[in-house]
Amino acid sequence: MKPMLDVVDLCKSFPVRNVFGRMAGEVKAVDHVSFSIERGEVYGLAGESGSGKSTIARTIMGLTRPDSGDIFLDGENIIGTGGTREHGRKVQMVFQNPGSSLNPRRTVGQSIGVPLEAHGHPRSDRRRRISELLEMVQLPADFAQRFPHELSGGQKQRVAIARALAVAPKLVVLDEPTSALDVSVQAKVIDLLVDLGRQLDLTFLFISHDLSLMRNFAKKVGILYLGEIVETGDTAAVFDNPRHDYTRLLLASVPVISAEEEAMRPKIELIDGEIPTAEKLLALRKAQGG
Ligand SMILES: Nc1ncnc2c1ncn2[C@@H]1O[C@H](COP(=O)(O)OP(=O)(O)OP(=O)(O)O)[C@@H](O)[C@H]1O
Ligand SMILES: [Mg+2]
């Protein structure tokens, strides 16, 4: 069977301007990236800030047009279809900050109703569908009348998830869905996503800095470094036995909570006792002839 998502040789560069606004070069935000996600699977993308994670998400959502490459969703090439109904029915996204992705002047019910209306869901059935979606994300039906400022961060993110699921997409792109939330709430939101994935047979692209959440949620993972996937495979295998220097560095930077985790942590020497930036690491590898 074809994978749900197949990203093939995707490239996207952005111009870099100097202080006078003149072109001073370009940054390869996404550099020949390929990966695929099987139906019903969770694929994680990890990598430090600026490694290209959101740019990949935005190209899949049709918010950014890639310079080259193809994106097949359920077998169809979706390049150039962003913003169409057809595209929206297949893929939806949950953003990092539910506070800014929900309109403060709309009630929860109105926010969830927007995609229903856009996709021609019958008006007479909208209220029922909104209650059903709220139930799916474990919020009481009367939350439909509330405004975002009356909700906690975790509750807002549940609403954003309900809104993303309103038109029953096949793929859900999660770009740091829990990083704006309290640590105590993060695991609950991930648990909810795991349940929903199973119930609704969803496929997820999960972008996160948090490697312990990644380990619990994503079956496969791709490690992004300077716009390139340097390592990919089953999450447990990649994390237990990282092959690329950068993956080791990324894992070594994870805050450790227990002695058990400390024992699992790869032992490596850090340059200057800190986590080197991508540039520093590149320079070091060059110096070492690597
Ligand atoms: N619209 C844009 N214009 C210019 N440069 C951009 C634009 N969007 C992204 N970039 C650059 O592309 C690179 C990748 O950015 P991207 O946002 O994809 O990284 P990220 O991995 O999502 O980082 P973070 O973890 O901080 O969210 C960065 O160097 C960034 O500055
Ligand atoms: Mg990002």
Side-chain angles (χ1 to χ4, degrees):
M1 208 166 27
K2 285 192 210 110
M4 180 57 80
L5 181 76
D6 198 11
V7 173
V8 186
D9 210 23
L10 198 70
C11 293
K12 177 71 185 178
S13 294
F14 292 105
V16 175
R17 293 177 194 284
N18 63 20
V19 285
F20 306 108
R22 293 212 190 93
M23 282 274 291
E26 57 172 24
V27 53
K28 287 185 179 174
V30 181
D31 195 5
H32 297 282
V33 162
S34 299
F35 64 97
S36 52
I37 316 182
E38 300 303 324
R39 279 152 211 275
E41 227 171 63
V42 182
Y43 185 91
L45 272 181
E48 73 183 307
S49 185
S51 59
K53 304 180 297 294
S54 295
T55 307
I56 294 173
R58 293 176 58 83
T59 56
I60 295 167
M61 294 315 296
L63 301 167
T64 296
R65 201 171 175 125
D67 300 331
S68 60
D70 290 302
I71 301 173
F72 297 93
L73 186 53
D74 203 14
E76 275 173 53
N77 201 333
I78 55 163
I79 301 281
T81 66
T84 61
R85 255 201 211 189
E86 194 57 31
H87 180 269
R89 219 191 306 274
K90 286 185 190 151
V91 53
Q92 290 286 322
M93 182 156 168
V94 176
F95 295 87
Q96 173 168 353
N97 195 333
S100 57
S101 69
L102 293 176
N103 185 332
R105 286 190 206 89
R106 281 202 185 114
T107 63
V108 163
Q110 284 166 340
S111 277
I112 299 174
V114 170
L116 292 175
E117 190 173 348
H119 286 261
H121 196 92
R123 179 174 277 277
S124 56
D125 187 50
R126 235 171 260 162
R127 192 180 290 181
R128 187 202 57 82
R129 178 69 178 147
I130 290 167
S131 310
E132 184 180 81
L133 286 159
L134 285 172
E135 198 187 326
M136 269 187 204
V137 297
Q138 295 159 16
L139 291 176
D142 63 9
F143 266 50
Q145 277 82 51
R146 294 212 191 175
F147 285 91
H149 75 264
E150 299 171 290
L151 272 56
S152 72
Q155 289 168 340
K156 274 187 244 184
Q157 199 58 308
R158 284 170 195 267
V159 172
I161 293 167
R163 185 180 55 179
L165 297 180
V167 297
K170 296 177 174 174
L171 174 73
V172 181
V173 176
L174 307 160
D175 192 353
E176 307 267 8
T178 62
S179 52
L181 306 178
D182 283 355
V183 176
S184 61
V185 187
Q186 290 181 353
K188 287 187 190 138
V189 172
I190 296 294
D191 285 347
L192 172 70
L193 290 167
V194 170
D195 282 350
L196 289 170
R198 284 206 196 111
Q199 263 174 50
L200 306 170
D201 199 21
L202 295 169
T203 305
F204 289 113
L205 174 61
F206 177 57
I207 293 172
S208 181
H209 277 101
D210 190 323
L211 298 185
S212 52
L213 286 181
M214 189 65 85
R215 194 179 183 118
N216 290 327
F217 187 35
K219 181 158 181 281
K220 287 198 178 144
V221 68
I223 309 293
L224 262 185
Y225 179 60
L226 298 175
E228 282 181 69
I229 292 188
V230 292
E231 182 159 1
T232 187
D234 281 352
T235 311
V238 169
F239 283 16
D240 291 341
N241 194 6
R243 288 170 193 282
H244 195 278
D245 287 355
Y246 179 64
T247 314
R248 291 195 195 106
L249 281 172
L250 205 61
L251 287 167
S253 69
V254 174
V256 169
I257 330 163
S258 64
E260 196 185 332
E261 280 179 277
E262 176 64 46
M264 272 167 42
R265 182 148 124 162
K267 300 286 174 283
I268 59 146
E269 297 253 331
L270 290 182
I271 306 137
D272 301 339
E274 55 172 272
I275 303 308
T277 61
E279 281 109 292
K280 231 178 182 177
L281 189 67
L282 265 189
L284 183 85
R285 293 184 61 151
K286 261 196 201 124
Q288 291 173 335

